[in-house]
Structures are given as C-alpha cells and as structure tokens.
Amino acid sequence: MSGQTTMREVVEKEIGEEVVVVAALSQGVPPSPLSLVTGAALIKLISPRASKALPKRFILAVTPDRVVALKGTPISDEDGNDTGAHIRGVIASWERGEVSATRAVDGNGGTLRIPGASIPVFDRSLGDPRERELFMALAA
C-alpha cells in the first residue's frame, strides 16, 4: 500500500493494533562511506545473514505489548519521504519484554536481541530517525 499514508499506518492496519515505532532493518552493519565510494559495500549485499531467525531485510514494529517482525518493503517518494510500505505478512512476534536492542557505539545500527538470537542490524535508509526511536523503545 502506498500513497498518502505512512509505513506505521500500513503496519497498524496489517497487524490490527497500535504501533509505537516501526523501522525497516537489514541484518549486518551499516556500510561505511568509504565502502560506498569504492564499491566494497556491494559485497555485503551477497554475504549471508547473521541469523536465520529473520530475513536479511525486514520491518520491525513495536506495539505497547509485543514486537512484530514483518516481511515488507518501505515505500518513499523521490524526496525520501515515507509514503507507506508493501507488507507481505508477519514473520514472527514476541512479547515486548523478550526483545531488546542496543545501539552501536558510533550510533549507526546496533544489536537486536530476540529469543534465541543476537543480530546486528541497521536501518536501511541510513540516518533515518526511526532507527534511533526503535533502539530507544527497545533499550535493554
């Protein structure tokens, strides 16, 4: 779904409950500016994911009671403004107390802890405030 909406609104409609914060995440560490310039960041695109518990790219939503991982892709306009998301279903759901996250020391990305896995993740839009909000909501 796209148009005059936001990723949060699309996810709320999909899961049928209020979403406190939502972000599109990728497993791994964010690419450095140097790797983007040299092309080394392309190697990370084909590298295996850190955990088989979640896909390499996913949407993570935090509700008042639980954390939900969804298959999906954020949608934005040509200026980078959030205009929705294409959701392809729920991957997993956990009680909110079972999931925590810690930001990386440099503030880019961090570690997501779900039952049975500790996964390095970062927001695919690099620098989006949703990542910071997500890590604050899930602070250990």
Side-chain angles (χ1 to χ4, degrees), residues 60-100:
L60 194 70
V62 178
T63 75
D65 301 317
R66 65 188 182 130
V67 177
V68 182
L70 302 112
K71 293 178 192 170
T73 305
I75 300 172
S76 59
D77 63 16
E78 60 276 353
D79 296 323
N81 299 312
D82 177 10
T83 60
H86 176 72
I87 304 295
R88 296 180 302 277
V90 173
I91 301 166
S93 174
W94 308 273
E95 294 296 319
R96 187 148 175 196
E98 294 180 300
V99 178
S100 66

Side-chain angles (χ1 to χ4, degrees), residues 12-133:
E12 285 177 338
K13 185 175 180 182
E14 177 73 21
I15 65 174
E17 58 188 291
E18 174 193 2
V19 170
V20 176
V21 65
V22 62
L25 300 175
S26 288
Q27 289 194 43
V29 295
S32 70
L34 180 61
S35 70
L36 290 171
V37 171
T38 63
L42 294 174
I43 294 170
K44 289 185 180 183
L45 291 175
I46 58 171
S47 63
R49 60 186 188 250
S51 171
K52 301 289 184 195
L54 293 171
K56 188 148 184 146
R57 293 172 187 82
F58 59 97
I59 293 175
L60 194 70
V62 178
T63 75
D65 301 317
R66 65 188 182 130
V67 177
V68 182
L70 302 112
K71 293 178 192 170
T73 305
I75 300 172
S76 59
D77 63 16
E78 60 276 353
D79 296 323
N81 299 312
D82 177 10
T83 60
H86 176 72
I87 304 295
R88 296 180 302 277
V90 173
I91 301 166
S93 174
W94 308 273
E95 294 296 319
R96 187 148 175 196
E98 294 180 300
V99 178
S100 66
T102 308
R103 288 187 77 192
V105 175
D106 66 4
N108 295 317
T111 302
L112 175 67
R113 288 176 195 79
I114 59 174
S118 183
I119 308 167
V121 295
F122 66 97
D123 190 307
R124 298 186 298 214
S125 55
L126 298 178
D128 193 300
R130 288 185 298 225
E131 177 187 284
R132 184 175 50 254
E133 293 170 7

